[in-house]
Amino acid sequence: MRLRLVPQQTSFDFFKWRKVTFGASIVAMIASIAIWLIVGLNFGIDFLGGTTIRTESTQSVDVGAYRDALTPLGLGDVTITEVFDPTFEAGRNVAQVRIQAQDGAESVTPATIAAVEAALQGVDPSITFPSVESVGPKVSGELITTALLAVGASLVAILFYIWLRFEWQFSVGAIAALVHDVVLTIGIFSLLQIRFDLATIAAILTIIGYSINDTVVLFDRLRENLIKYKKTPLQEVMNLSTNETLSRTLMTSGTTLLALLALLVLGGDVIRGFVFAIFWGIIVGTYSSVYVAKNVVLMLGIDRDPKKPSDAGTQFADVDA
């Protein structure tokens, strides 16, 4: 027997609370933008420029002592954070020391890094430095620009594809859902102050790809049913299409989340931000495909004149994709 998370035939009314769900999405987006503007993002070294030194020790991390040891060096903004991870062995204490880019220099000099390491070893002789990462201010600025262009270009390409594949109303609905997913992801990163770096941008692009795939599956079934049930109200056809694809949606999202959950718990702190972004994105992406994309299409309406040919409302349905 095949595994089913839901019965083979369902009749859930996904639009019963459409004003509440759509309104909640708008409120969540506004709140995410407000948090982003007020709190800001915890940018990684990729976007800020500077140097990150990772430390390991058998002794407990004393952030205050570390800071006192580095203050005489006059390095400007220095951020020291202890890294917690359930996969760490007992007695393994990890911290990250982030030093801002120095004025007039592309990166922190080797002499400065050596001075930092010497100062920290004065506090804890057992401390080691397994990794040092440096990014210059010019490079970090270029990375920000490239990241924004990558996200923007992907949204424009998807907008064009959906318009060719379906109709402009579907395209607007799909882009609204993607913007919803991206904004909520940025909002949760700002709220929880999770490190935002190039890996997070890669995760956002992955979210966009996953979300649009889920939306296209729903839109494909909707397009088929629009041709099949020409006189049925649009809202009922949308409900029918969502119910028909519900099992596939839950199975795909559920199995993906299980794999991501394992990585989130056991993968370590190095990839945790990347995995969390995708984990969160799949949840909001599945939600937005049902409660944002189709709500927008319903509000915009579709021309379903029964006197038109059988492909009415799907003028580009014959385009290969």
Side-chain angles (χ1 to χ4, degrees):
M1 294 179 63
R2 291 185 298 173
L3 174 64
R4 291 190 178 277
L5 296 181
V6 296
Q8 186 169 1
Q9 292 184 343
T10 59
S11 57
F12 297 113
D13 186 358
F14 291 96
F15 292 94
K16 183 178 182 180
W17 305 102
R18 69 185 183 90
K19 292 182 179 179
V20 175
T21 55
F22 195 68
S25 294
I26 294 176
V27 170
M29 290 178 65
I30 294 174
S32 295
I33 294 173
I35 294 171
W36 179 17
L37 295 176
I38 295 172
V39 179
L41 290 168
N42 179 23
F43 285 113
I45 203 72
D46 297 337
F47 293 147
L48 288 180
T51 297
T52 296
I53 301 175
R54 186 181 178 94
T55 72
E56 289 191 14
S57 175
T58 56
Q59 298 183 22
S60 299
V61 174
D62 188 336
V63 174
Y66 285 12
R67 192 180 305 280
D68 291 341
L70 298 180
T71 299
L73 299 180
L75 300 175
D77 184 20
V78 177
T79 303
I80 303 171
T81 55
E82 186 173 1
V83 178
F84 297 96
D85 194 304
T87 63
F88 287 167
E89 299 175 356
R92 183 184 179 191
N93 302 287
V94 180
Q96 283 189 335
V97 179
R98 188 167 65 190
I99 307 169
Q100 70 175 21
Q102 305 298 297
D103 295 335
E106 280 298 305
S107 61
V108 177
T109 63
T112 301
I113 295 174
V116 170
E117 292 179 351
L120 293 177
Q121 285 176 335
V123 175
D124 179 4
S126 68
I127 198 169
T128 59
F129 308 96
S131 67
V132 177
E133 299 177 2
S134 295
V135 177
K138 182 178 179 180
V139 174
S140 65
E142 292 175 351
L143 290 175
I144 293 175
T145 302
T146 304
L148 292 175
L149 288 175
V151 175
S154 65
L155 292 177
V156 171
I158 289 170
L159 177 71
F160 183 68
Y161 165 76
I162 298 296
W163 176 70
L164 287 179
R165 182 70 173 168
F166 302 98
E167 271 194 9
W168 69 269
Q169 294 96 328
F170 290 85
S171 185
V172 173
I175 291 299
L178 293 181
V179 171
H180 168 274
D181 300 343
V182 172
V183 170
L184 261 61
T185 301
I186 293 176
I188 196 70
F189 266 71
S190 179
L191 177 64
L192 301 179
Q193 285 295 288
I194 302 172
R195 186 175 61 185
F196 193 92
D197 52 20
L198 283 180
T200 310
I201 296 297
I204 289 176
L205 293 174
T206 304
I207 292 167
I208 289 174
Y210 183 93
S211 181
I212 197 61
N213 176 70
D214 203 29
T215 303
V216 165
V217 169
L218 290 171
F219 280 176
D220 265 327
R221 183 59 59 90
L222 175 59
R223 182 177 61 185
E224 295 171 2
N225 287 334
L226 284 173
I227 298 173
K228 188 176 180 181
Y229 304 102
K230 286 189 174 183
K231 296 184 179 180
T232 304
L234 179 58
Q235 182 171 316
E236 292 185 20
V237 178
M238 286 184 167
N239 256 328
L240 174 64
S241 303
T242 307
N243 277 285
E244 288 178 348
T245 58
L246 183 60
S247 179
R248 176 265 173 203
T249 299
L250 292 180
M251 285 293 291
T252 303
S253 300
T255 52
T256 307
L257 288 174
L258 283 176
L260 289 172
L261 184 61
L263 287 174
L264 194 61
V265 175
L266 304 174
D269 66 288
V270 176
I271 64 170
R272 183 157 290 128
F274 173 79
V275 176
F276 176 80
I278 299 179
F279 188 90
W280 169 260
I282 287 177
I283 294 174
V284 297
T286 303
Y287 171 89
S288 67
S289 296
V290 176
Y291 291 107
V292 177
K294 292 214 302 300
N295 266 331
V296 171
V297 175
L298 182 62
M299 288 187 293
L300 294 175
I302 300 175
D303 185 5
R304 302 179 64 212
D305 187 351
K307 296 181 180 180
K308 288 187 176 183
S310 61
D311 61 347
T314 55
Q315 62 195 63
F316 295 107
D318 292 332
V319 175
D320 291 331

